[in-house]
Amino acid sequence: MVNYPSGMATNKQNNKEEKTNKKVKLPSSFSRANRGMNLEEDINISNEYYKDKKLCLITKRPTPINVVKVDYSKGALITNAYFEKQSTTDYNGVYKGKYIDFEAKSTKNKASFPLANITTHQIEHLKNVLFHGGIAFFIIEFVEHQETYLLDAKFVIEYFEHGSRKSIPYEEIKKIGHLIKRSYLPRLDYLPIVEEIYFK
């Protein structure tokens, strides 16, 4: 370190110390809500694990879009598109010969799950699944509690259509729902709960 008569360190040294003492700013996406709590990614990885182990075949349903404009100068980049119709639910597939259909929702609300997160179109779709003998449920993640529950669709449909509240209390979901175990693989092991509820 070189000191000038005033006793001040060189600009180079000052800059070095500033950089050393400066706190590292994390990206805004790196928050408590994103530390291993990306629900869709966790379900997709779990479904891939189940498929590889030949346990079941559940896939994410693509949202149908109508492409209006494509920029071929950038390698066929879609620059304008719109949804063709309302989406139904996030996931569907088959397990032990039974059709499975479910919706995955995440909330940062600590006290309840807002029913505004569900559309009438999704409810009607799940009612049709049940009518035809399929298995239907919701996977609901409470980000602040770091807990994820499997909830039978009949319970959610009843609450949506006849409940006095605009949300389902967290405490009620804890009682009625089934806490899904988290692990490395599968990330969200929901299949044993499906087995317990619908196959026993």
Side-chain angles (χ1 to χ4, degrees):
M1 178 173 163
V2 178
N3 286 324
Y4 285 92
S6 65
M8 297 292 290
T10 62
N11 282 340
K12 187 176 179 182
Q13 183 66 27
N14 281 337
N15 289 341
K16 189 176 179 182
E17 285 176 3
E18 277 179 24
K19 285 178 183 175
T20 305
N21 295 330
K22 194 179 277 186
K23 287 183 179 179
V24 178
K25 188 177 180 183
L26 296 170
S28 59
S29 61
F30 189 86
S31 64
R32 183 182 173 192
N34 291 318
R35 294 176 195 169
M37 295 296 282
N38 186 324
L39 182 61
E40 186 177 300
E41 182 188 352
D42 287 349
I43 293 173
N44 291 343
I45 289 170
S46 300
N47 287 342
E48 197 63 32
Y49 172 85
Y50 291 149
K51 185 179 81 170
D52 290 345
K53 296 291 182 182
K54 300 194 183 304
L55 297 172
C56 67
L57 180 63
I58 309 288
T59 55
K60 179 154 176 53
R61 183 184 274 116
T63 304
I65 62 166
N66 193 342
V67 177
V68 177
K69 191 175 179 183
V70 179
D71 185 352
Y72 290 102
S73 67
K74 295 181 180 178
L77 177 71
I78 297 172
T79 56
N80 193 359
Y82 63 88
F83 295 119
E84 282 184 353
K85 56 183 179 180
Q86 287 180 299
S87 61
T88 51
T89 49
D90 291 326
Y91 295 91
N92 69 333
V94 63
Y95 174 59
K96 291 188 174 180
K98 290 282 282 184
Y99 176 75
I100 288 181
D101 201 302
F102 67 90
E103 176 69 11
K105 296 290 187 186
S106 183
T107 180
K108 291 182 180 179
N109 192 315
K110 288 182 180 181
S112 63
F113 171 73
L115 290 170
N117 289 355
I118 303 169
T119 67
T120 303
H121 190 72
Q122 289 171 329
I123 291 293
E124 289 304 316
H125 171 75
L126 290 172
K127 282 167 72 174
N128 281 328
V129 170
L130 294 171
F131 177 80
H132 289 286
I135 293 169
F137 55 86
F138 283 80
I139 288 181
I140 297 175
E141 174 192 52
F142 284 91
V143 174
E144 294 300 319
H145 296 292
Q146 296 191 18
E147 293 173 351
T148 307
Y149 292 88
L150 188 149
L151 214 55
D152 185 70
K154 290 174 190 171
F155 172 78
V156 179
I157 292 166
E158 180 67 23
Y159 228 96
F160 187 90
E161 293 185 332
H162 306 293
S164 57
R165 294 170 52 107
K166 293 183 179 179
S167 63
I168 307 175
Y170 165 71
E171 291 299 328
E172 192 157 352
I173 288 176
K174 279 182 73 173
K175 290 176 188 173
I176 304 295
H178 302 263
L179 182 65
I180 302 174
K181 180 184 172 186
R182 283 189 170 272
S183 60
Y184 176 67
L185 273 177
R187 291 264 188 96
L188 273 176
D189 198 10
Y190 67 87
L191 204 57
I193 298 173
V194 172
E195 175 72 27
E196 180 187 339
I197 298 173
Y198 303 105
F199 290 86
K200 286 186 179 178

